[in-house]
Amino acid sequence: MSNKEALRELQLRLASRLQAAREQPREAGWLAVECGSAGLLLPLGQAGEIQSASVVTPVPHAVPWLAGVANVRGQLHAVLDLAVFLGLREPQPGAAPRTGGQLVVLNQSMRVNCALLIDRLAGLRDSEQLQRLPEGDTPRPAFAPRQWRGAQDRVWDELDLSALVHDPLFLDVAA
């Protein structure tokens, strides 16, 4: 099986699990993704579909974390390079657009045509698989309210995508 077929199969499995997860009431449910070296938890209710990031058109003179735009079901979506936005990876000015990765399209209910460019999908998580970490002394952004510990002592940062799209840095792209 080729890598492309394996990736497509993984996308289909995750899409069906996402749909099943949305239909089942849960205390909390997240799509686990990796950006740079960080593990991130995106709320299932705020995440939409997952697509390959193969067709992202760069936007000249944009903020460094705006990877470009992508056509998602006939609508243009801004593509936010999540690792660059969060400071996990340096932007590469003047370089060709980053290839690879996945797009997590924000749920339509958020009324923002935006997709997040991530490095890798890591599956689904719920509160039964994770232990909430106590709050530390370091202030956290409003869009990253808490941390969780999962299998193999992996620390995951929870992201509130609704708060993320209302963050002043995110809103700066519209100015």
Side-chain angles (χ1 to χ4, degrees), residues 27-45:
E27 179 183 324
W30 297 281
L31 175 64
V33 303
E34 293 179 353
C35 285
S37 60
L40 305 171
L41 300 171
L42 310 179
L44 287 176

Side-chain angles (χ1 to χ4, degrees), residues 49-171:
E49 65 184 274
I50 300 164
Q51 291 192 350
S52 170
S54 61
V55 186
V56 175
T57 304
V59 175
H61 311 295
V63 293
W65 46 265
L66 183 64
V69 294
N71 183 337
V72 177
R73 300 193 185 275
Q75 291 187 333
L76 283 182
H77 283 63
V79 177
L80 181 146
D81 187 329
L82 194 54
V84 174
F85 183 84
L86 296 174
L88 303 171
R89 178 176 34 247
E90 289 294 319
Q92 298 178 351
R98 193 167 78 82
T99 58
Q102 301 288 306
L103 295 180
V104 177
V105 180
L106 299 187
N107 191 301
Q108 290 178 346
S109 66
M110 295 182 65
R111 298 177 187 246
V112 177
N113 285 4
C114 183
L116 306 175
L117 178 62
I118 60 159
D119 295 332
R120 191 175 88 74
L121 297 168
L124 298 175
R125 303 288 188 278
D126 60 35
S127 58
E128 296 168 358
Q129 299 170 296
L130 302 164
Q131 176 186 15
R132 185 173 172 181
L133 295 177
E135 292 185 27
D137 295 335
T138 307
R140 299 182 56 82
F143 59 80
R146 47 190 88 65
Q147 290 185 309
W148 300 81
R149 184 174 312 281
Q152 290 91 33
D153 268 352
R154 174 86 191 257
V155 174
W156 296 89
D157 286 292
E158 178 183 343
L159 294 187
D160 179 344
L161 299 180
S162 180
L164 177 86
V165 300
H166 291 95
D167 185 85
L169 180 61
F170 182 91
L171 292 174

